[in-house]
Amino acid sequence: MAGIDEKLALALTRRLRAEKFQTAAMIQDETGKTYTLKEQEGFSGASLLKIGIADYVKSVWQEKPAILQQTLSVQPGQRVAGAGVMHHLAQTEWSLRDVVSLMLATSDNTAANILLDHFGRENVDQWLADNFPGLQLQRNFIAPVVAGKDNFLTAEALLPAWQELFTKENEFTAFCQTALHEQTERGKLVYYVEDLQFTGDTFNKTGDLADVEHDCARLKVGQKWFDCIILTKFNGPKQHQAALELQRDIGKLLMQNLMQK
């Protein structure tokens, strides 16, 4: 029977503790059973903070549903390199709904910054501190770190923020889930979907920096699912590859568990 049991917990522990670099994990099944490893340890947030931005927009949408149709204009200074497509597209006007979708599906840095400029980064950061303590959004994406102001998270803080996009099916959660389902970065927790012929659905959001590889995913078969967060911080190319392999192996363990009859 699928779920977090003693056998799965032991396999997870063996795999996670096999690595020498900094690692944290938070895994929960649909019954609420939870597996944790260093879940309160702080990491650079990378693009996983975009989940928190989506949650903030959801909170505004709940009071003002019409905001999804609002038009946002891309200003020249908002176009930043890295993940995403908006920075090299000629289109300058987008619906707020599409900006959120691009931020989630392609991890678009420009889209995230447009939303932070529109709503006020400090407002978003304070809202996160009030609702998901442990998530800190102290700079725009690709902006330099000044006086130690950076973006941080813990696996413990991220799990409820992630699950916020899967609670109470409505217009907002539906399009966010579509974006996460169509995620363009599939090289970590969902890497083995095709090899395993996984018959369920996957939703994921990734994040990376020069020394960081994070991933967050919901893996689902029928009414059974796992929410999984794996955070890693490493040194050098050898550990970098090991961090990717760790993510892939954890995802494989969870998908194999879900496919058990």
Side-chain angles (χ1 to χ4, degrees):
M1 183 177 179
I4 296 177
D5 56 14
E6 185 176 350
K7 180 180 179 181
L8 178 60
L10 181 59
L12 291 168
T13 299
R14 285 175 173 166
R15 185 63 187 89
L16 287 161
R17 293 194 180 278
E19 303 298 347
K20 299 186 182 301
F21 48 80
Q22 185 179 352
T23 305
M26 190 104 177
I27 303 169
Q28 189 172 85
D29 67 20
E30 77 285 347
T31 71
K33 290 182 180 178
T34 307
Y35 174 92
T36 63
L37 176 70
K38 299 182 179 178
E39 71 280 6
Q40 296 181 338
E41 196 164 313
F43 287 77
S44 296
S47 286
L48 290 190
L49 265 298
K50 292 165 184 171
I51 295 167
I53 298 173
D55 288 340
Y56 174 84
V57 178
K58 179 186 175 186
S59 75
V60 177
W61 169 83
Q62 289 171 330
E63 300 295 327
K64 302 176 182 178
I67 67 167
L68 292 183
Q69 284 70 52
Q70 185 174 355
T71 299
L72 300 182
S73 298
V74 185
Q75 305 302 317
Q78 292 174 316
R79 297 182 185 274
V80 293
V85 297
M86 291 182 73
H87 67 282
H88 62 75
L89 297 180
Q91 183 173 331
T92 58
E93 293 191 343
W94 302 78
S95 70
L96 190 145
R97 180 188 187 281
D98 285 347
V99 175
V100 175
S101 292
L102 285 169
M103 178 183 69
L104 294 177
T106 71
S107 201
D108 199 297
N109 290 325
T110 297
N113 287 347
I114 289 171
L115 292 169
L116 291 178
D117 291 346
H118 179 72
F119 291 106
R121 184 192 51 74
E122 291 184 356
N123 293 333
V124 178
D125 184 40
Q126 184 58 58
W127 185 87
L128 291 175
D130 293 340
N131 290 274
F132 303 109
L135 300 186
Q136 298 179 57
L137 188 54
Q138 300 179 330
R139 65 174 176 86
N140 280 22
F141 292 89
I142 309 299
V145 177
V146 178
K149 291 187 178 296
D150 203 351
N151 300 332
F152 300 100
L153 53 69
T154 66
E156 182 180 59
L158 185 64
L159 180 65
W162 169 253
Q163 293 180 335
E164 183 68 23
L165 299 179
F166 293 88
T167 58
K168 297 181 180 178
E169 290 292 333
N170 53 47
E171 180 186 6
F172 195 94
T173 58
F175 86 79
C176 286
Q177 288 172 32
T178 296
L180 295 167
H181 187 271
E182 301 302 317
Q183 172 66 233
T184 58
E185 173 51 63
R186 301 178 60 80
K188 300 176 192 173
L189 288 170
V190 301
Y191 180 78
Y192 283 113
V193 165
E194 293 184 3
D195 287 356
L196 293 174
Q197 296 183 339
F198 184 64
T199 56
D201 290 313
T202 65
F203 309 83
N204 74 290
K205 178 74 196 73
T206 198
D208 61 82
L209 297 168
D211 59 351
V212 158
E213 288 287 358
H214 301 329
D215 209 19
C216 178
R218 173 165 290 196
L219 309 170
K220 182 178 181 183
V221 174
Q223 298 304 309
K224 304 288 186 180
W225 51 259
F226 289 112
D227 283 332
C228 178
I229 298 165
I230 304 293
L231 310 177
T232 67
K233 186 178 187 301
F234 49 81
N235 293 303
K238 186 175 181 179
Q239 285 193 347
H240 186 183
Q241 184 60 36
L244 292 172
E245 292 175 0
L246 172 65
Q247 298 268 7
R248 295 165 182 172
D249 289 347
I250 296 299
K252 185 177 183 179
L253 281 171
L254 297 179
M255 286 187 281
Q256 288 173 327
N257 181 282
L258 286 169
M259 291 191 294
Q260 291 176 7
K261 299 297 185 182

